[in-house]
Amino acid sequence: MIKKILIANRGEIASRIIRTCRKMGIASVAVYSEADKDAPYVSEADEAYLLGGPRVNESYLNATKIFEIAKLTNCNAVHPGYGFLSEDANFARKCAKEDLIFIGPHPDVIEKMGNKVAARKLMELCGLPVVPGLSRPLVDSKEAVVEAKRIGYPVMLKAAAGGGGIGMQVANSEAELLKIYEGNQKRALMFFGNGEMFIEKLIEKPRHIEIQVLADSFGHGVYLWERECSIQRRHQKVFEEAPSPFLDDETRKAMGNAVVKAVEAIGYYNAGTFEFLVDSDKNYYFLEMNTRLQVEHPVTEEITGLDLVEQQIRIAQGEKLAFTQAEINRDGHSIEVRIYAEDPNTFLPSPGKITALKVPQKEYIRHELAVDNRSIVSHFYDPMIAKLIVKGSTRSQAIQRLIEALDLYKVEGIKTNLPLLKEIAVHEKYKQGETTTDFIDRYIKNNSTTI
Amino acid sequence: MSDVVASMAGSVWKIVVSEGDTVSRGQEVIILESMKMEIPLEAVTSGKIKQIYITEGDFVNEGDVLAIIE
């Protein structure tokens, strides 16, 4: 049984995990960097310990120090949250050596799914469709041309070591492909020290739709429907909702069943997410699997009534899932928006001191906050300072409630993306569910994406 | 003459030029890092790097002048 959990994370997700620990009668230990000593989650936990300096390698990635604190405080489990050590197979292995339950899947499965190329191959074997392309890095521009001819233009070049949209470029013709090949390679080398590139077919006007799963260590899995997270800036999610305004029941079930089959085939246990691109004909293509809790998990909790952190803890301590697929609810509509400390037009980070914070309170509004009204938002970490989640009985009611909530939401002292969020929420195309991944570029004016 | 100005608050990740180097318009001269993002700053005019006011690892504020091109 899990009695005391060390939370190897920070910000809103640390607060979120502490809340479930309290509900389940489990003690919680927070860890923090020097930059986070006044963060809300530090005082919310039962105990809190300093990890080290503000840089992540001195603090949230410092496994040695984390184990030291876990031992000192007699924790018997570690919750990694998302990011940081959550998808580090070696960390999960070390947890086992230290007699700590890692609240996540088996380390070997983390490893398999963490390698994008291997995961793509494996999922293809498990029967999931993947985006047409080459399953290994390109040798040279000649091979890129041959491969592009085979899969058809437009194609996308992707830096193997890339992430967050850096090192991704589209080519519509052979001439364009040859032109961007060198530049993209140079850029990848400069940013990541690795010039390797992949090629794949560009799925046009795609949506980003993901399936949430839960699976126990007895080989039983279920899916908790989908989340649509198409509206992104710099390839990072801004709006997330469940259900998707685009999927029909048939596609939803087909995707869910395919994913559960894959989960059971690879021996996965824990909460997990399968990300897909879905084209305008509702063809879906597997992108990647996240073997951890997702930032946007609250919208799934709102429509199913399940507590995903609680489910993770129960699975980790060896319990069976207490429900079958047929018993999973799908009630109403929920939308989450991510509040980022950044310029709403250029998307450039805006760290600094918050001088005032006012958030609306209603029974259909949920807040996940990383900050309070005197926090200093550090430049060392991710720009997300809060999530605002609303629920309605229908999508249009949820949108109405979101618009009202955003109007009352005030953050002063730093720039935030609140104006952008409002602009999207009131947009006619958003109401119509025209939520493709290019939504912001296509419909929102005055923005100049830099990367 | 033109200034290389910080487009955001953060730390200086890389300085890819040295004083005295010749740069052309649009060339990346300094890369800033903030909130897990690397943002390159480009030369707005062609010329010679006259002076660099910062070193790698320094914290800068939005609007700070980091280098001068003449």
Side-chain angles (χ1 to χ4, degrees):
Chain A
M1 286 290 282
I2 290 174
K3 293 208 158 60
K4 195 170 185 181
I5 297 176
L6 182 144
I7 300 157
N9 216 300
R10 61 183 295 278
E12 64 88 19
I13 198 61
S15 294
R16 163 74 193 84
I17 296 163
I18 293 165
R19 229 162 49 221
T20 292
C21 286
R22 196 143 291 157
K23 184 182 85 177
M24 296 176 74
I26 296 171
S28 57
V29 175
V31 290
Y32 60 94
S33 76
E34 276 159 17
D36 278 335
K37 62 183 196 312
D38 297 319
Y41 79 91
V42 174
S43 50
E44 287 161 14
D46 294 327
E47 298 169 52
Y49 292 83
L50 178 70
L51 280 170
R55 292 179 189 284
V56 292
N57 58 337
E58 305 165 330
S59 53
Y60 301 103
L61 297 179
N62 186 350
T64 312
K65 187 77 189 177
I66 288 170
F67 290 134
E68 222 178 271
I69 295 168
K71 207 156 275 178
L72 177 81
T73 54
N74 282 318
C75 285
N76 68 339
V78 174
H79 196 305
Y82 53 71
F84 299 123
L85 297 163
S86 62
E87 290 176 294
D88 182 332
N90 284 328
F91 177 73
R93 281 193 190 105
K94 280 188 208 152
C95 282
K97 269 192 207 134
E98 302 280 340
D99 262 333
L100 290 164
I101 298 173
F102 176 76
I103 302 176
H106 192 279
D108 294 349
V109 180
I110 299 180
E111 201 149 61
K112 264 187 217 163
M113 301 312 281
N115 180 322
K116 281 190 181 188
V117 182
R120 182 189 143 102
K121 275 187 199 156
L122 183 62
M123 288 301 104
E124 210 175 354
L125 284 174
C126 289
L128 294 183
V130 299
V131 179
L134 207 56
S135 291
R136 56 166 174 80
L138 289 162
V139 175
D140 53 19
S141 59
K142 251 190 228 157
E143 188 182 45
V145 169
V146 172
E147 194 54 28
K149 223 170 249 168
R150 187 180 72 83
I151 58 180
Y153 288 95
V155 296
M156 178 142 71
L157 279 182
K158 267 182 171 175
I166 299 172
M168 279 160 67
Q169 262 183 308
V170 173
N172 292 293
S173 64
E174 188 172 322
E176 236 177 75
L177 178 61
L178 287 169
K179 207 175 118 195
I180 66 170
Y181 188 92
E182 304 287 318
N184 205 46
Q185 188 169 44
K186 241 186 241 164
R187 236 181 134 68
L189 253 176
M190 188 177 86
F191 273 99
F192 313 113
N194 175 357
E196 285 190 332
M197 283 185 297
F198 289 106
I199 192 166
E200 63 182 38
K201 190 169 172 61
L202 179 77
I203 307 296
E204 289 179 273
K205 290 195 80 183
R207 287 155 201 269
H208 178 114
I209 297 178
E210 57 191 32
I211 306 283
Q212 174 71 52
V213 292
L214 282 179
D216 62 25
S217 50
F218 301 88
H220 180 61
V222 293
Y223 63 93
L224 308 185
W225 319 110
E226 80 283 4
R227 291 183 289 262
E228 173 152 353
C229 319
S230 300
I231 301 183
Q232 311 186 349
R233 64 100 180 87
R234 280 198 282 106
H235 300 273
Q236 277 178 332
K237 298 161 188 170
V238 179
F239 264 65
E240 295 118 340
E241 61 183 299
S244 157
F246 182 66
L247 284 195
D248 52 57
D249 258 359
E250 197 187 332
T251 315
R252 173 175 290 131
K253 281 180 185 152
M255 290 173 81
N257 287 330
V259 157
V260 168
K261 222 189 253 174
V263 155
E264 293 178 349
I266 62 171
Y268 188 82
Y269 52 83
N270 183 35
T273 297
F274 284 74
E275 299 193 336
F276 291 92
L277 278 183
V278 180
D279 70 15
S280 46
D281 296 322
K282 297 199 176 78
N283 295 309
Y284 51 92
Y285 306 94
F286 169 77
L287 278 184
E288 63 177 36
M289 182 190 186
N290 296 313
T291 57
R292 52 164 170 83
L293 193 65
Q294 233 34 28
V295 175
E296 58 274 22
H297 75 278
V299 294
T300 298
E301 296 185 320
E302 292 304 315
I303 65 160
T304 58
L306 288 168
D307 176 336
L308 292 192
V309 176
E310 178 188 339
Q311 293 304 319
Q312 285 189 296
I313 293 171
R314 292 193 182 285
I315 292 165
Q317 63 186 11
E319 290 181 39
K320 282 186 178 167
L321 287 181
F323 38 80
T324 62
Q325 187 65 53
E327 289 169 324
I328 292 163
N329 284 330
R330 203 177 97 217
D331 166 46
H333 198 99
S334 181
I335 305 172
E336 172 182 287
V337 294
R338 297 189 189 188
I339 294 154
Y340 287 121
E342 68 183 20
D343 185 293
N345 296 312
T346 62
F347 310 139
L348 289 179
S350 175
K353 190 173 183 346
I354 292 178
T355 52
L357 175 73
K358 220 178 98 194
V359 300
Q361 304 292 347
K362 280 272 175 357
E363 75 280 2
Y364 50 78
I365 296 177
R366 168 172 167 184
H367 293 288
E368 300 292 348
L369 291 163
V371 294
D372 58 27
N373 57 12
R374 57 193 178 87
S375 291
I376 292 167
V377 181
S378 159
H379 73 282
F380 287 104
Y381 313 113
D382 186 276
M384 195 179 78
I385 54 166
K387 306 186 300 203
L388 164 65
I389 302 112
V390 295
K391 191 183 178 187
S393 53
T394 60
R395 184 169 190 266
S396 61
Q397 187 183 47
I399 294 174
Q400 199 44 49
R401 288 176 166 177
L402 175 66
I403 294 169
E404 284 163 20
L406 284 170
D407 273 338
L408 297 169
Y409 209 109
K410 297 272 177 299
V411 183
E412 283 167 28
I414 55 168
K415 288 190 266 186
T416 71
N417 65 337
L418 280 162
L420 172 75
L421 298 175
K422 281 184 210 172
E423 218 180 319
I424 297 169
V426 300
H427 204 284
E428 202 49 41
K429 291 289 178 189
Y430 180 66
K431 279 182 195 157
Q432 291 165 10
E434 288 295 316
T435 47
T436 48
T437 54
D438 61 353
F439 188 93
I440 290 176
D441 286 335
R442 186 180 289 262
Y443 300 119
I444 305 294
K445 286 156 276 156
N446 307 327
N447 82 83
S448 53
T449 345
T450 44
I451 283 195
Chain B
M1 262 206 6
S2 72
D3 296 340
V4 179
V5 179
S7 53
M8 63 178 185
S11 58
V12 178
W13 184 46
K14 271 185 188 164
I15 303 172
V16 288
V17 292
S18 307
E19 285 176 5
D21 283 2
T22 308
V23 295
S24 46
R25 186 167 172 262
Q27 188 182 331
E28 291 169 3
V29 291
I30 290 164
I31 304 171
L32 297 181
E33 184 189 26
S34 186
M35 296 179 146
K36 292 165 66 184
M37 249 189 101
E38 289 96 32
I39 293 291
L41 303 177
E42 295 172 354
V44 290
T45 53
S46 300
K48 194 182 257 181
I49 303 283
K50 188 184 174 200
Q51 207 169 353
I52 299 173
Y53 299 107
I54 37 95
T55 55
E56 289 180 2
D58 283 359
F59 182 83
V60 298
N61 277 303
E62 184 179 341
D64 284 0
V65 176
L66 310 185
I68 289 187
I69 300 169
E70 66 168 6

